[in-house]
C-alpha cells in the first residue's frame, strides 16, 4: 500500500511540475509596427494584439508611427528586447536609423510576421522586398521581380511585364495546402474554406519563398488572375524566420471583421508567429478549424475551451 501511495504521489508531483512549467513559460515579447496603411490599421492592429495575447503565448507592444505626411524623424525603434516583429505598416519611409536597426534584427536571426498589406510597403527598398519575398502595388512592375504562382505542381517565376498586385471582389475561397510537414501546418487540413476576404494575386518580387504552405485559386469570375496564387509561406532570408500571410483584410470594426474572425486565419497567424519567434510550434490542432466546405469563426478572437 505504501508503495502504491508513493507512486500516486510521484505522479501528482510530476503533473504539478509540468503545469507550473507551462504556466511559467514567458510570453513571447512582440513588437507590432503600425500607424499608417491603405487598410484599416486602426482595427487590424488592435485585433492582431487580441489574437496573439488571447492565446497566452505572446505579449504585444505597439509602435505607432506619426500620421502620413508628418515628421517621421523621431520614429526610431529599438528591436533588441523582442523575439518577434509583426508588420502591419504600409506608409511613409522609416528613418534610416530604424531601417538599419530593423535589418540588423532580421539579419541577426529575428522573427518576423508580414501581415496582409505590409507587403505593399517600401517598394524601393530592396532588402525589405527580400524580407517579404512577394509584394504588390506602390508602382511595382517587372523591375521588382517576376510574378510568382503555382502551376503544374510547382512554383513558376514569370518575368513578363505588368503591374504587381491586384485582387478581385472579396469572397470565400478554399486554401490548398502545399506542405504537410512544416511545423506551421503539420496536422492541419490540406484544404480549408476561408471566410470572405481579398485574394491577393499578380504579386511579384524576388520570389525567395522558403516553404510554400497554402495557395488559392484566383477566379477570373471574381476579377482575379485565373492562377493559383501563393498566399501563406515562409521566406528564405539568411538566418531569419519570416512568416508571410496575405490573408486578413480588416473590416470596419473589430465586431464587423469577417476575414480576421476566420478561425483558419487566426490559427495560421498564431502558429506562424510562434514558429517565427522560436522555430517551433507547440500549439495543438484545434477542433474548430474550418473544413473544405465549412468556414469557422472566432468572433471574440480566442479559442473556445
Amino acid at each position: 500500500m505504501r508503495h502504491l501511495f508513493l507512486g500516486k504521489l510521484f505522479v501528482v508531483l510530476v503533473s504539478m511540475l509540468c503545469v507550473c512549467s507551462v504556466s511559467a513559460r514567458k510570453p513571447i515579447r512582440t513588437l507590432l509596427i503600425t500607424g499608417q496603411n491603405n487598410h484599416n490599421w486602426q482595427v487590424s492592429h488592435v485585433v492582431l494584439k487580441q489574437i496573439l495575447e488571447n492565446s497566452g503565448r505572446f505579449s504585444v507592444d505597439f509602435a505607432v508611427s506619426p500620421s502620413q505626411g508628418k515628421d517621421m524623424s523621431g520614429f526610431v525603434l529599438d528591436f533588441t528586447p523582442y523575439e518577434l516583429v509583426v508588420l502591419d505598416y504600409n506608409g511613409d519611409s522609416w528613418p534610416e536609423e530604424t531601417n538599419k536597426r530593423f535589418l540588423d534584427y532580421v539579419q541577426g536571426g529575428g522573427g518576423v510576421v508580414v501581415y496582409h498589406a505590409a507587403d505593399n510597403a517600401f517598394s524601393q527598398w530592396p532588402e525589405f522586398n527580400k524580407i517579404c519575398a512577394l509584394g504588390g502595388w506602390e508602382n511595382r512592375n517587372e523591375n521588382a521581380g517576376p510574378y510568382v504562382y503555382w502551376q503544374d505542381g510547382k512554383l513558376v517565376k514569370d518575368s513578363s511585364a505588368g503591374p504587381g498586385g491586384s485582387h478581385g471582389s472579396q469572397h470565400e475561397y478554399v486554401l490548398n495546402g502545399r506542405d504537410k510537414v512544416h511545423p506551421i501546418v503539420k496536422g492541419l487540413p490540406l484544404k480549408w474554406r476561408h471566410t470572405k476576404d481579398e485574394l491577393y494575386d499578380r504579386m511579384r518580387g524576388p520570389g525567395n519563398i522558403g516553404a510554400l504552405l497554402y495557395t488559392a485559386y484566383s477566379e477570373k469570375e471574381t476579377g482575379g488572375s485565373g492562377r493559383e496564387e501563393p498566399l501563406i509561406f515562409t521566406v528564405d532570408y539568411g538566418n531569419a524566420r519570416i512568416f508571410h500571410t496575405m490573408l486578413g483584410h480588416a473590416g470596419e470594426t473589430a465586431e464587423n471583421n469577417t476575414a480576421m474572425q476566420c478561425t483558419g486565419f487566426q490559427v495560421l497567424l498564431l502558429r506562424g508567429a510562434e514558429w517565427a519567434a522560436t522555430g517551433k510550434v507547440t500549439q495543438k490542432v484545434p477542433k474548430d478549424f474550418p473544413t473544405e466546405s465549412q468556414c469557422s469563426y472566432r468572433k471574440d478572437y480566442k479559442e473556445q475551451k
Side-chain angles (χ1 to χ4, degrees):
M1 287 291 292
R2 187 168 182 272
H3 290 300
L4 181 61
F5 171 76
L6 290 174
K8 290 182 177 180
L9 180 62
F10 176 76
V11 170
V12 170
L13 289 173
V14 169
S15 299
M16 289 176 65
L17 285 171
C18 290
V19 170
C20 290
S21 175
V22 172
S23 62
R25 183 172 57 182
K26 291 183 179 179
I28 295 166
R29 290 204 64 185
T30 302
L31 180 66
L32 194 160
I33 305 176
T34 190
Q36 293 184 38
N37 211 305
N38 60 319
H39 289 62
N40 192 357
W41 66 268
Q42 292 90 342
V43 168
S44 60
H45 80 290
V46 173
V47 168
L48 290 169
K49 180 182 174 76
Q50 287 185 43
I51 295 169
L52 291 167
E53 291 193 340
N54 284 344
S55 73
R57 195 71 181 91
F58 303 85
S59 173
V60 180
D61 295 332
F62 291 139
V64 181
S65 75
S67 301
Q68 187 172 17
K70 301 295 184 180
D71 180 13
M72 290 285 287
S73 61
F75 191 61
V76 178
L77 305 181
D78 181 6
F79 297 95
T80 56
Y82 298 101
E83 301 164 82
L84 181 69
V85 172
V86 177
L87 300 175
D88 179 27
Y89 183 91
N90 176 26
D92 294 338
S93 296
W94 296 337
E96 195 56 41
E97 180 62 22
T98 296
N99 291 354
K100 178 182 179 301
R101 292 182 182 188
F102 179 63
L103 288 184
D104 287 346
Y105 168 82
V106 179
Q107 292 171 354
V112 178
V113 171
V114 181
Y115 155 70
H116 198 52
D119 63 21
N120 297 184
F122 308 141
S123 61
Q124 301 305 309
W125 185 6
E127 287 304 309
F128 183 84
N129 288 303
K130 292 177 186 176
I131 288 167
C132 294
L134 293 177
W137 295 273
E138 300 300 322
N139 298 315
R140 285 178 172 86
N141 56 27
E142 57 274 13
N143 296 321
Y147 294 118
V148 180
Y149 49 89
W150 183 264
Q151 186 177 68
D152 298 328
K154 62 182 179 181
L155 276 175
V156 173
K157 294 186 176 181
D158 178 352
S159 297
S160 59
S166 63
H167 62 77
S169 59
Q170 294 189 42
H171 62 286
E172 293 181 8
Y173 51 87
V174 173
L175 277 295
N176 299 307
R178 303 300 173 190
D179 190 314
K180 296 181 181 179
V181 299
H182 194 281
I184 295 174
V185 296
K186 190 172 183 180
L188 297 181
L190 282 176
K191 290 181 177 290
W192 58 274
R193 180 168 290 276
H194 181 36
T195 55
K196 185 179 179 182
D197 197 355
E198 295 176 343
L199 197 169
Y200 279 8
D201 57 34
R202 300 182 179 91
M203 303 295 276
R204 58 192 320 159
N208 50 316
I209 291 174
L212 178 61
L213 304 178
Y214 284 101
T215 64
Y217 184 69
S218 178
E219 299 178 355
K220 289 186 175 181
E221 291 76 11
T222 60
S225 64
R227 298 170 178 166
E228 189 78 20
E229 301 285 351
L231 297 182
I232 305 176
F233 50 84
T234 68
V235 178
D236 184 9
Y237 186 81
N239 295 321
R241 287 185 298 267
I242 302 169
F243 172 72
H244 187 159
T245 177
M246 297 185 186
L247 309 186
H249 181 78
E252 296 176 358
T253 65
E255 295 73 30
N256 180 19
N257 193 23
T258 302
M260 298 185 79
Q261 288 172 325
C262 174
T263 300
F265 165 75
Q266 294 181 37
V267 169
L268 266 298
L269 174 69
L270 289 169
R271 293 172 71 95
E274 185 181 20
W275 173 83
T278 70
K280 300 178 181 178
V281 176
T282 61
Q283 302 159 57
K284 295 180 179 179
V285 176
K287 295 180 180 179
D288 62 340
F289 199 83
T291 66
E292 182 177 358
S293 59
Q294 187 69 46
C295 295
S296 173
Y297 296 84
R298 291 180 179 176
K299 294 190 176 182
D300 56 0
Y301 304 109
K302 59 185 177 182
E303 183 176 1
Q304 301 301 313
K305 302 296 185 181

